[in-house]
């Protein structure tokens, strides 16, 4: 076999292994980020003493009128 082909095959295999390693690390980082974001959301909900009904109402209001959050109307409605 041509020595250049052997060299290219070796580099290809090395790159493929590195790519697989990086993809696994990327997947783990995504998992960690999602877990931390979820924890932040839970802390925020608990810090405002929202129950599940109030949280659902807050999310519904955000979906129907996103600008209300900027005007400060969301907090008032969420605690009703």
């Amino acid at each position: 076999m041509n020595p250049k082909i052997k060299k290219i095959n070796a580099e290809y295999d090395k790159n493929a292994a590195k790519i697989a390693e990086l993809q696994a690390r990327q997947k783990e980082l995504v998992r960690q980020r999602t877990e931390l974001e979820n924890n932040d959301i839970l802390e925020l909900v608990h810090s405002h003493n929202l129950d599940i009904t109030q949280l659902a109402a807050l999310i519904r209001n955000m979906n129907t009128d996103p600008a209300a959050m900027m005007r400060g109307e969301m907090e008032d409605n969420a605690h009703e």
Side-chain angles (χ1 to χ4, degrees):
M1 182 182 278
N2 185 332
K4 289 182 181 181
I5 292 174
K6 285 184 181 181
K7 183 178 178 183
I8 288 173
N9 284 342
E11 185 177 351
Y12 177 89
D13 292 341
K14 181 180 173 184
N15 283 344
K18 185 68 173 175
I19 289 168
E21 179 184 323
L22 289 171
Q23 286 175 331
R25 179 65 181 144
Q26 188 76 356
K27 185 177 179 180
E28 175 61 18
L29 291 172
V30 168
R31 187 198 65 76
Q32 289 177 6
R33 179 178 60 190
T34 300
E35 182 178 335
L36 290 171
E37 288 171 344
N38 288 343
N39 287 339
D40 285 350
I41 292 166
L42 287 173
E43 287 177 22
L44 184 63
V45 168
H46 290 300
S47 72
H48 285 85
N49 296 320
L50 295 176
D51 64 24
I52 191 72
T53 306
Q54 292 168 324
L55 179 60
L58 178 64
I59 293 170
R60 269 194 309 277
N61 288 339
M62 285 175 43
N63 287 334
T64 58
D65 188 7
M69 192 165 92
M70 299 303 289
R71 295 190 304 263
E73 296 173 11
M74 299 302 282
E75 281 188 32
D76 297 336
N77 292 338
H79 291 290
E80 290 177 353

